[in-house]
Amino acid sequence: SVNNILWEPVKTSPMVGNMPYSPHRFCMTQYEENVRTREPICPNAKDCEPPLTDPCSAKELERCGCDSRLDEKFNITIQGFNLEDTDTLQFLPYETLCSLSSKPLFLKGFTLQQYPPTINKEGNQATFGGFFSTKVGYFRMCYMHAGTLFDIGFAKVKPACASPYVQVGGTCVEHCPVSKIPVAGECTRDPHAMDDSDMQALMLQVVMSDPAISGSTHLSQRDSMDQELRYFVYRYTYELARLLHTQPERIKVASVSKGSTLVNTVFTAVTDMNAVDTRSPAALISLLRALQSDTSSSFYLNLFFQNIDKPRSLSQIVSGVYDPPELKVRECMDGVYRVFCPYAGEIIPLASSYTIFVVAVLCVPAALGMLCLCAWKLDFETSPAVNEHTLDSLRTEPKKVDKPLQIEYAKSWLEGRFMGEQWQKSRDSPLLGITEH
């Protein structure tokens, strides 16, 4: 009876942690029933920065310390604790959340589960078979266990085309048509392809790691004639034009900023309608974002763009929303693209403005001064025509006074109006001043 009872790990309760683990990341090929992932849950990926979003990229798996071999096929194996053969697994488009009320979407991607899973002896692995996808893209994995629904990760389904080729209608090509963008390796319709903004230039801030340069001065702080900065701008422009399959003249580097390396890139409108690529600026940015989202794309095979900022989450990849958004810009008269151009025209001609200034500053005050002087002159109190000396002469020695004044003096006495201001005094005299003569 010795050693008849085998040793097992001690379990405090069979229901403690009774659930599938997450996140599982699987890589699959379209129409294949098996996955290419050897390590569904990679412990090292928990601390990987930026996060691991592409389980089909050997370079990304190696960067995060995961098993990077993708040349073998495996069954879909879910890891957990106390898993049961009554558990079910369902794949949904990633933009659809796991829900008890969700209906099976047959022919929308993955096939439905046909057989119960195989549970290992320890109950920590559930192996499923018979799943394959007719669609390319990203799918959410919903696991039903003990009446509870769990979101346990995602699966990326890629076409059979080898990177960096993309699939168009079952054919592997190097570039997608102008109306489509690559998503998980397959060309899908670009929502910006039919926009009515073909002539609107857009500026996008592309974030890259700092390139290897000589010296400690950042590229953003260097003179525009610096040779390393000019080489960086030249290579950035032509490498990006080659990846986007467009003319280099349509890509212009407005400036380089610091914060890693922020390249403010302007995408201009099509000038030659007979060119091979006639994508609008919005469509070029949409293509750039699609290539940036897929780390298995040709973007990351290019040595220059390997250090571009990678997507931060799978939700960002599926939605295609990145920060900061693009800005509408226009080319100003000095050849610089800005959101608002400085006003360079004249409201009125220069000669007219000088004339108005002189008239307003000099002529108007002078005219007002003359007007005030005239008004003051009109209101000025004038001296009397006959003063006291003349009156004394008229009384004592009339012959020394001019004849007109003598006549006026005489008439004033006859008519009762007295010359000078002494009329009241004369009226008060008993004989109207006759006795004084």
Side-chain angles (χ1 to χ4, degrees):
S1 63
V2 178
N3 296 327
N4 283 343
I5 300 177
L6 300 179
W7 289 92
E8 289 287 341
V10 177
K11 302 176 182 179
T12 57
S13 171
M15 297 302 293
V16 173
N18 186 32
M19 60 183 292
Y21 299 150
S22 65
H24 290 75
R25 301 180 182 90
F26 288 104
C27 175
M28 299 184 67
T29 303
Q30 188 180 16
Y31 297 112
E32 280 189 358
E33 289 191 3
N34 304 102
V35 298
R36 298 299 182 102
T37 305
R38 299 172 60 93
E39 192 178 17
I41 297 181
C42 178
N44 295 330
K46 180 177 62 175
D47 301 322
C48 188
E49 183 63 30
L52 176 62
T53 57
D54 188 358
C56 294
S57 173
K59 288 186 177 181
E60 285 294 289
L61 292 171
E62 185 177 357
R63 178 181 66 86
C64 293
C66 305
D67 195 324
S68 60
R69 290 192 59 180
L70 298 170
D71 55 348
E72 297 183 59
K73 299 180 181 180
F74 303 92
N75 290 323
I76 298 178
T77 301
I78 306 300
Q79 300 178 9
F81 182 70
N82 278 356
L83 302 181
E84 303 172 351
D85 57 3
T86 57
D87 295 347
T88 60
L89 178 64
Q90 184 181 7
F91 292 83
L92 299 175
Y94 194 80
E95 57 271 17
T96 304
L97 299 178
C98 295
S99 174
L100 294 174
S101 60
S102 61
K103 298 180 180 179
L105 301 176
F106 188 65
L107 296 180
K108 291 291 185 178
F110 271 85
T111 55
L112 304 180
Q113 179 178 338
Q114 301 295 324
Y115 312 102
T118 301
I119 309 299
N120 66 347
K121 181 179 178 181
E122 291 77 13
N124 59 5
Q125 290 185 353
T127 303
F128 293 83
F131 282 107
F132 70 90
S133 177
T134 60
K135 303 293 183 181
V136 172
Y138 299 90
F139 297 87
R140 191 184 301 271
M141 302 172 62
C142 303
Y143 193 94
M144 176 67 75
H145 171 73
T148 305
L149 191 62
F150 297 89
D151 186 341
I152 61 171
F154 70 93
K156 177 184 177 181
V157 181
K158 66 181 185 66
C161 301
S163 179
Y165 291 95
V166 292
Q167 179 176 275
V168 181
T171 304
C172 298
V173 297
E174 186 176 1
H175 298 286
C176 289
V178 295
S179 61
K180 296 185 177 182
I181 56 175
V183 176
E186 184 178 42
C187 295
T188 59
R189 181 166 295 280
D190 183 8
H192 299 280
M194 304 304 293
D195 285 352
D196 56 352
S197 58
D198 292 350
M199 304 307 295
Q200 176 62 60
L202 298 173
M203 184 173 70
L204 179 69
Q205 191 176 77
V206 180
V207 182
M208 301 180 64
S209 300
D210 292 333
I213 56 177
S214 62
S216 59
T217 305
H218 194 268
L219 286 176
S220 62
Q221 299 173 339
R222 299 196 177 191
D223 186 80
S224 59
M225 299 306 294
D226 181 81
Q227 294 301 317
E228 285 189 306
L229 176 60
R230 294 180 64 186
Y231 175 73
F232 175 83
V233 172
Y234 166 81
R235 190 172 179 188
Y236 176 91
T237 302
Y238 280 85
E239 292 287 353
L240 185 58
R242 184 172 64 85
L243 291 171
L244 300 182
H245 198 222
T246 187
Q247 301 91 353
E249 294 76 14
R250 294 189 59 194
I251 301 174
K252 301 183 184 298
V253 176
S255 61
V256 178
S257 305
K258 191 174 182 180
S260 295
T261 297
L262 309 179
V263 186
N264 298 308
T265 310
V266 176
F267 297 88
T268 61
V270 180
T271 56
D272 183 10
M273 299 307 297
N274 296 323
V276 177
D277 178 33
T278 56
R279 293 179 188 263
S280 65
L284 285 177
I285 292 178
S286 178
L287 175 59
L288 171 60
R289 292 304 196 193
L291 293 174
Q292 184 180 358
S293 298
D294 189 357
T295 54
S296 297
S297 66
S298 58
F299 216 74
Y300 293 93
L301 296 180
N302 185 285
L303 294 177
F304 187 81
F305 284 101
Q306 280 185 349
N307 294 325
I308 195 171
D309 191 38
K310 293 180 174 63
R312 313 303 300 181
S313 66
L314 197 62
S315 299
Q316 188 180 45
I317 295 175
V318 174
S319 64
V321 178
Y322 285 80
D323 291 324
E326 60 274 11
L327 297 175
K328 294 181 179 181
V329 294
R330 67 194 74 186
E331 186 178 10
C332 301
M333 296 180 62
D334 55 359
V336 178
Y337 283 86
R338 300 184 180 92
V339 177
F340 296 103
C341 293
Y343 184 73
E346 297 177 344
I347 300 177
I348 58 176
L350 193 61
S352 301
S353 62
Y354 280 129
T355 302
I356 294 175
F357 175 78
V358 171
V359 170
V361 173
L362 300 178
C363 297
V364 172
L368 291 176
M370 293 297 296
L371 182 61
C372 293
L373 181 61
C374 293
W376 175 77
K377 189 67 176 175
L378 292 174
D379 192 54
F380 184 73
E381 185 176 354
T382 59
S383 59
V386 179
N387 52 28
E388 292 295 331
H389 177 70
T390 305
L391 287 174
D392 291 340
S393 299
L394 286 171
R395 294 190 189 102
T396 58
E397 299 179 11
K399 294 182 179 181
K400 293 182 178 181
V401 183
D402 295 336
K403 291 293 184 182
L405 280 177
Q406 295 180 27
I407 296 172
E408 181 64 26
Y409 183 75
K411 289 177 62 177
S412 68
W413 278 97
L414 293 175
E415 295 175 359
R417 42 182 193 83
F418 309 102
M419 293 183 65
E421 298 296 333
Q422 304 299 325
W423 58 272
Q424 187 63 37
K425 179 180 178 182
S426 300
R427 284 184 176 179
D428 293 338
S429 63
L431 297 177
L432 295 179
I434 299 176
T435 58
E436 296 181 3
H437 298 284

